[in-house]
Amino acid sequence: MKPTLLPELSGRAALAAGLFLLALLTGVALWTRPLIPIDETRYVSVAWEMWLRGDFLVPFKNGETYSHKPPFLFWMFQAGWAAFGVNDVWPRLVSPLFSAASLGLTFLLARRLWPQQPTHAGSAVLVLCSLLWWIVFSTTAMFDVVLAFWVLVGMHGVLSMAQGKRRGVVLLGGAIGLGVLTKGPVILLNVLPMTVLALWWQPSLRACWGRWLGGVGLAVLLGAAIALLWALPAGYSGGEAYRNAIFWGQTADRMVDSFAHRRPVWWYLPLLPIMLFPWLMWPTFWRGLRRHIGEGLDAGSRFCLAWILPVLIAFSFISGKQPHYLLPLFPAFALLLARVVTTRPQGGIALPSLLAAALGGLLVAVARDLIPGASRSLAELPALWPGIVLMLLAFTLGIAARRTGAVMSLTLLGTATLALFQIAVRPAVEPAYNIQPIAQAIRQVQLAGHPVANLAKYHAQYQFAGRLQAPLVELRDSTQQQLTWLRSNPQGYAVLYLDELKQANTLTVRHRQAYRGGAVVLIDALTAVSVLTAVKVP
């Protein structure tokens, strides 16, 4: 049967459409939210401290070596600053650029897996660019979309090796090395199971299995050599403690923590429908997958399943789970979905449309709560219109899907849902997560020569936002320790965190603002002493 995907969006035009939607979502993210503490602000601050020091080997956080993450993402931030000057926007463009490159690699991989079905490539791009969790992290200054890019490069290398091309070893080895420099050895978990299962998705490799394993081993050695080009000089420069951390301590600690069974094996399963919205809730996908399995999986589909299943199972048994750890699997899901639905009748999209409309209704219902201090006048609630538009768009796309193509309709539904949701919650996100004002207040105090202490665990969230030149004193062990420092530094200031903003309104402060559901204040040392002695602050 002929696919219902619009012919003009079945090839390069679909790739162009996906890139356009990604650019649109990037613009919405830049407008609707700042860098979010504590993760995004921490990583940009690490790059900022490296930039200040002129040290591009060893990452620093608040004046101390930072061994928790390798430097590739920090290098990318600094490369943009070197080209365009230090600014807030460039770090937020790194993930979108790698996401765009990932769309291109997914397009090319589909062409290689199914050369006789060119429509699969366009569909895979449209699916990937509208998966909820993919587009959330495509506009986030974090590591996972960059890691997914290197996994895609590695998969191209694996496929080239299976086709007898020597460049495959270089591609896989380069992907492993740069993946390690992006997020550590987890890249091996994402690519090596595919090589072990090669006989399943490419049975012809039985005749040269020894050569295949040799090529994989050579690629791993090449990847290790690339990683060591940074790790050896960085370990020497960073000192013994940093050297031990990057070569052994962090890996060992994370392995112990990962198998501590803090989260159950099934933890990912209820999250998958959200992360893969709207596509996992589309009945056509499940019907197509069932029929495809019944008819017999082709080599391309086995390739995708060999990519997805071992990694999903492994991460399910590792207790240190986070939803974004699965992002490198999303291109494989997009490829598989494109394969099982593009050449079949696609039907309607009633269920995803109803769910999106329900979210729109929820946004309308809570619109007043999203705006601090809003009156009861509906005319004064700008958060109303995104929910209304989402409901109307969901019903429109649901009705039109059978005529215009379900794939394109779901693509628009997925991207519009996230864009409108971000616009709706912007009035609540901006005051609670924009730390520029408090960071600038800290900068002014430091420039005046006053030391500043953070009376809690400090994630360096203010360093880049305030372009701070000096670290903050971190005081998190005990109230007594905090009081000792404050009394010893009467000319100093303290960053203090409170449960509610109204608590801050009763204090004489240098600066106060909402912060992540509570409040943060910058107060002089003597006032901080009176606060701490009156009430124990967590």
Side-chain angles (χ1 to χ4, degrees):
M1 296 185 181
K2 293 182 179 180
T4 59
L5 178 65
L6 293 176
E8 65 268 20
L9 290 181
S10 62
R12 294 183 184 276
L15 176 59
L19 294 173
F20 172 78
L21 290 171
L22 175 62
L24 184 64
L25 288 164
T26 301
V28 170
L30 289 172
W31 175 52
T32 56
R33 65 175 182 83
L35 287 166
I36 301 295
I38 52 179
D39 288 331
E40 287 187 286
T41 51
R42 174 175 55 216
Y43 300 140
V44 180
S45 288
V46 170
W48 166 247
E49 291 199 44
M50 294 177 73
W51 177 268
L52 280 179
R53 291 171 174 269
D55 186 341
F56 305 108
L57 276 177
V58 181
F60 278 80
K61 180 175 78 74
N62 197 41
E64 298 181 353
T65 56
Y66 180 67
S67 60
H68 291 269
K69 291 292 187 295
F72 184 83
L73 185 65
F74 310 140
W75 289 342
M76 293 297 99
F77 293 163
Q78 293 171 79
W81 291 339
F84 309 114
V86 176
N87 62 85
D88 291 22
V89 174
W90 171 254
R92 304 185 63 187
L93 296 180
V94 172
S95 285
L97 290 172
F98 275 90
S99 180
S102 297
L103 294 181
L105 289 179
T106 301
F107 181 88
L108 295 174
L109 193 56
R111 289 285 181 93
R112 297 181 68 186
L113 291 174
W114 300 288
Q116 305 304 318
Q117 291 93 17
T119 55
H120 294 359
S123 297
V125 168
L126 293 175
V127 172
L128 182 58
C129 79
S130 55
L131 288 167
L132 180 62
W133 228 239
W134 178 268
I135 53 182
V136 166
F137 282 90
S138 289
T139 56
T140 302
M142 292 179 66
F143 303 85
D144 301 277
V145 169
V146 181
L147 179 66
F149 170 82
W150 295 123
V151 171
L152 273 163
V153 172
M155 293 306 168
H156 275 276
V158 169
L159 192 57
S160 294
M161 289 172 59
Q163 296 170 346
K165 299 175 181 178
R166 293 180 179 178
R167 69 182 183 189
V169 174
V170 176
L171 285 174
L172 179 57
I176 290 173
L178 292 169
V180 169
L181 291 178
T182 298
K183 206 180 176 184
V186 70
I187 181 72
L188 297 173
L189 180 58
N190 280 283
V191 298
L192 289 187
M194 171 68 73
T195 66
V196 175
L197 295 174
L199 292 182
W200 180 58
W201 57 265
Q202 189 71 284
S204 62
L205 290 175
R206 292 182 185 277
C208 55
W209 185 242
R211 187 172 63 183
W212 170 262
L213 292 179
V216 172
L218 187 59
V220 172
L221 290 176
L222 175 60
I226 292 172
L228 287 173
L229 285 175
W230 162 76
L232 289 175
Y236 177 80
S237 176
E240 182 178 0
Y242 181 73
R243 182 165 57 250
N244 291 338
I246 62 173
F247 281 107
W248 172 249
Q250 287 299 323
T251 301
D253 291 345
R254 289 185 183 191
M255 288 180 65
V256 171
D257 291 342
S258 292
F259 291 97
H261 299 293
R262 290 189 304 273
R263 284 174 173 165
V265 172
W266 48 262
W267 189 80
Y268 279 120
L269 294 180
L271 296 179
L272 288 175
I274 299 173
M275 292 190 291
L276 299 174
F277 179 86
W279 300 94
L280 201 64
M281 299 176 180
W282 187 27
T284 297
F285 164 65
W286 296 104
R287 290 195 297 266
L289 181 61
R290 185 175 64 250
R291 291 173 184 172
H292 186 51
I293 293 174
E295 294 168 357
L297 298 172
D298 59 30
S301 299
R302 290 196 298 271
F303 184 93
C304 294
L305 289 173
W307 181 350
I308 295 171
L309 294 179
V311 182
L312 178 60
I313 292 170
F315 273 117
S316 295
F317 279 95
I318 293 173
S319 68
K321 301 177 180 68
Q322 293 291 349
H324 50 273
Y325 291 174
L326 300 184
L327 281 177
L329 304 182
F330 281 33
F333 173 80
L335 289 164
L336 181 63
L337 188 144
R339 170 64 183 88
V340 302
V341 305
T342 302
T343 56
R344 298 180 184 277
Q346 294 176 2
I349 60 169
L351 179 58
S353 295
L354 287 173
L355 291 171
L359 176 61
L362 179 63
L363 291 176
V364 171
V366 301
R368 183 176 291 106
D369 298 327
L370 294 175
I371 303 179
S375 71
R376 300 190 63 84
S377 171
L378 296 183
E380 297 179 11
L381 296 180
L384 271 177
W385 72 265
I388 294 172
V389 170
L390 181 56
M391 286 191 291
L392 293 175
L393 184 62
F395 285 123
T396 301
L397 291 173
I399 294 171
R402 292 184 179 274
R403 290 190 300 172
T404 61
V407 169
M408 193 63 210
S409 295
L410 279 172
T411 300
L412 294 175
L413 182 66
T415 53
T417 297
L418 179 62
L420 291 168
F421 178 82
Q422 290 184 103
I423 294 171
V425 301
R426 179 175 180 265
V429 169
E430 178 68 20
Y433 292 93
N434 184 3
I435 60 172
Q436 287 280 351
I438 180 72
Q440 290 299 323
I442 294 171
R443 173 182 171 84
Q444 295 304 315
V445 166
Q446 285 190 336
L447 289 176
H450 302 288
V452 180
N454 191 81
L455 305 189
K457 183 176 182 179
Y458 185 47
H459 300 276
Q461 60 264 40
Y462 307 122
Q463 299 302 117
F464 177 72
R467 306 295 194 271
L468 304 187
Q469 304 286 320
L472 271 61
V473 178
E474 183 178 12
L475 300 174
R476 59 171 176 164
D477 292 339
S478 67
T479 303
Q480 187 57 50
Q481 179 201 39
Q482 296 166 357
L483 289 171
T484 300
W485 185 90
L486 293 168
R487 287 167 177 156
S488 302
N489 295 271
Q491 301 303 313
Y493 281 79
V495 180
L496 184 66
Y497 301 89
L498 303 170
D499 292 335
E500 296 180 357
L501 187 57
K502 64 182 180 181
Q503 290 180 267
N505 293 332
T506 64
L507 301 175
T508 301
V509 303
R510 177 72 178 249
H511 179 84
R512 66 169 64 86
Q513 69 173 76
Y515 178 74
R516 301 181 68 206
V520 59
V521 296
L522 179 64
I523 58 178
D524 64 83
L526 296 180
T527 303
V529 168
S530 65
V531 173
L532 291 179
T533 53
V535 58
K536 185 177 180 180
V537 178

